[in-house]
Amino acid sequence: MSSASPASSGPHAALEAMIRSDPQRLRRRSISLGVDPSDADDVAQDAVMRAWRAVERIHSPEPGQMCSWLDTIARSAAYDLARHRGRHHVGPLVDDRGGDADIAIDVETRLLLTGALGAINDLSDDLRRPLLLSVVDGLSSAEIADRLGLSAAAVRQRVARARKALATCRKAGMEAGD
């Protein structure tokens, strides 16, 4: 019998190495999903705990697949927090808006953001994943290539194609798909 703990090898070790290599990654991912920065550490910790308990069920502990798997868990933790907050009244809303002009700007901004999110979601997965890893996670082409099993040139090409597709949507008023 080996004296090594379950965490010293296999999927637990891969998960631990990924978290240690970039301890703020899940916090940043939570914020990118719309979690308030004051709650992002809690969501990240919840995601790590969920991942730790479920890591034995992952099909392949390769970095790219584990990264995607961990992002899915973080997304789930963020959605659970939002649902919890939606069911439980957090406190009185304070109307600190200056007037109709501020409301119009807020509405316009939300419409643009909704359009941008729709355009990003409409991208094919092979374009969306490299774009998000580049823009949201701030990874280099080489790091993305390693995670996705692509060449760095292919990553750069896909990110450029995704940006071109989004620029086309922006010119069309952020309307996804014609």
Side-chain angles (χ1 to χ4, degrees):
M1 242 164 111
S2 170
S3 63
S5 71
S8 65
S9 64
H12 281 101
L15 177 62
E16 185 175 349
M18 180 176 286
I19 293 167
R20 284 187 190 278
S21 71
D22 188 0
Q24 293 298 309
R25 182 179 178 283
L26 286 173
R27 182 179 196 285
R28 289 191 313 271
R29 182 68 174 136
S30 299
I31 292 169
S32 77
L33 291 167
V35 173
D36 188 89
S38 64
D39 293 325
D41 287 328
D42 292 336
V43 171
Q45 183 177 2
D46 184 30
V48 169
M49 294 304 296
R50 291 178 187 195
W52 190 260
R53 287 190 297 262
V55 74
E56 291 295 331
R57 293 187 301 248
I58 191 169
H59 296 294
S60 175
E62 295 171 11
Q65 290 180 346
M66 185 169 282
C67 179
S68 296
W69 175 75
L70 198 53
D71 281 348
T72 300
I73 292 173
R75 188 177 309 115
S76 178
Y79 290 155
D80 288 350
L81 175 68
R83 276 190 298 256
H84 175 76
R85 292 273 165 89
R87 285 192 305 255
H88 298 89
H89 182 65
V90 179
L93 293 177
V94 177
D95 186 7
D96 60 354
R97 298 179 193 267
D100 291 341
D102 289 339
I103 293 172
I105 290 171
D106 286 349
V107 169
E108 183 178 343
T109 301
R110 287 182 186 269
L111 288 173
L112 285 172
L113 290 174
T114 300
L117 183 58
I120 291 169
N121 286 332
D122 284 345
L123 291 171
S124 63
D125 192 47
D126 66 315
L127 296 180
R128 183 177 52 253
R129 288 183 68 204
L131 177 71
L132 292 177
L133 288 170
S134 173
V135 175
V136 175
D137 291 340
L139 299 179
S140 69
S141 295
E143 292 169 318
I144 297 168
D146 184 51
R147 287 191 183 185
L148 300 180
L150 301 168
S151 68
V155 168
R156 287 189 296 274
Q157 181 186 31
R158 289 179 184 191
V159 170
R161 285 176 41 210
R163 287 182 176 173
K164 184 176 180 181
L166 293 177
T168 302
C169 289
R170 184 175 58 190
K171 288 176 186 169
M174 290 310 241
E175 296 174 12
D178 289 338

